Amino acid sequence: MPATLEQLTGAFTEQFARLREWLEPLGDTLGGAAQLPSSRTGWSNRELVVEIGASVQSLLNAEPAPAGTTPLSLAEYTGHDSDFDAELTQRVREQAAGLTQGVLEYLEEMHTRATANLLALGDDEDSVVLGALGPIRLGDLVRTRLLDLVTYTLDLEASAAGRMDLSAGNTPVHVPALRLVADELLDIVASRGGYHLEVVDARMWTRLATGREPYNTLALTSAIQPTDTAGGVPDLGRVLPLI
C-alpha cells in the first residue's frame, strides 16, 4: 500500500534530521573527507552532500500547476534521459565548487526553505504541482525526494565504511524512512509483475533497487522473500535497478 503524503513528509523530515545530526560533528570538512572520493563513482563526499541539498531544492522550487494540468506518472517523471543526468551532474559539481557558505549551512537552508514551501503547497497529495521535470502529483513529488534523500544517505554511509564507526546508533540512515522507501520500491516491482513479495532486508533491497549493489540472486533472496511460503523470489535481473 503506497504511503500517504503525511507519512512521506514525516519520513522525509525525520531522515533529514538524522542525517544533519550525523553530519554535525564532522563539520564542513566532513571529518577531513570532503574532497575524498565517495562511494558514488566520480563524486567527492562534498559533492554528494551538495547533491542532497540540490535534491531538496526541488521541493523549494515546486509551485501549483495551472488548473486542468495532467500530471506525469511517477515512472514518466523519473524516466528522464542521460542528457538530463549529465546536465544535473555538471550543475551540482559547479555548485559545490562555487558554494560560498558552509556545506552544512547550505544543506540546512535548503531544507528549511523547502519545508516552508511544502507546507504552502497544502496537504492534498493528488494536487498537481510543477516539479523540475514537469507536472506531477504532490504526493509523488515528495515520494521522489524521499527516495533520493534515503539513497544519497546510503551513499554517504557506504563512503564512511572503514573510516568511521558505523555501529548501531551512529548511522546517518533513519531506519523507519529506509523501510518506507524499501516498501515503496517493492510496490513498484509488485505492481509491474503481480508478485507477492515482502522486504526482509531494507538496506540491501534499496541498494539493489537503486543500482548501488550489483545484482545477484543471493543478495536478492537475502533482501526480499515471497509472502507465500510455497512461492519463490522471481529473477528481477531484467527490471533492476528501478532508479
Side-chain angles (χ1 to χ4, degrees), residues 7 16 27 55 59 146 153 192:
Q7 290 171 325
F16 185 88
S55 176
L59 289 176
L146 175 61
T153 300
R192 291 176 180 175

Side-chain angles (χ1 to χ4, degrees), residues 43-214:
W43 292 71
S44 70
N45 289 305
R46 175 182 168 84
E47 289 169 338
L48 187 53
V49 173
V50 171
E51 184 178 29
I52 293 174
S55 176
V56 171
Q57 193 172 359
S58 295
L59 289 176
L60 165 62
N61 295 334
E63 58 184 34
T69 300
T70 301
L72 298 172
S73 68
L74 186 61
E76 290 170 331
Y77 189 85
T78 57
H80 50 255
D81 59 27
S82 58
D83 288 340
F84 179 83
D85 284 335
E87 178 186 330
L88 177 62
T89 298
Q90 183 61 29
R91 189 163 67 243
V92 169
R93 287 179 172 156
E94 290 174 355
Q95 191 172 7
L99 202 61
T100 57
Q101 63 189 141
V103 66
L104 300 190
E105 179 185 352
Y106 160 74
L107 194 62
E108 185 67 36
E109 179 186 340
M110 288 301 98
H111 179 258
T112 299
R113 294 173 61 192
T115 299
N117 191 51
L118 186 56
L119 287 172
L121 290 172
D123 57 5
D124 180 3
E125 61 186 52
D126 291 321
S127 64
V128 182
V129 297
L130 298 177
L133 302 176
I136 186 172
R137 292 169 59 252
L138 178 59
D140 282 342
L141 178 62
V142 177
R143 186 171 278 107
T144 67
R145 298 309 86 206
L146 175 61
L147 196 155
D148 273 6
L149 178 59
V150 168
T151 301
Y152 297 154
T153 300
L154 285 172
D155 289 339
L156 281 175
E157 181 184 63
S159 300
R163 185 171 47 81
M164 289 179 60
D165 174 18
L166 293 173
S167 57
N170 195 40
T171 170
V173 178
H174 181 65
V175 175
L178 171 62
R179 179 70 197 206
L180 190 154
V181 163
D183 287 341
E184 290 278 322
L185 290 168
L186 192 62
D187 281 345
I188 295 174
V189 171
S191 66
R192 291 176 180 175
Y195 307 119
H196 298 283
L197 303 166
E198 61 184 0
V199 176
V200 292
D201 184 336
R203 183 177 268 95
M204 177 58 74
W205 167 241
T206 301
R207 287 180 55 79
L208 282 166
T210 58
R212 267 59 180 180
E213 185 77 22

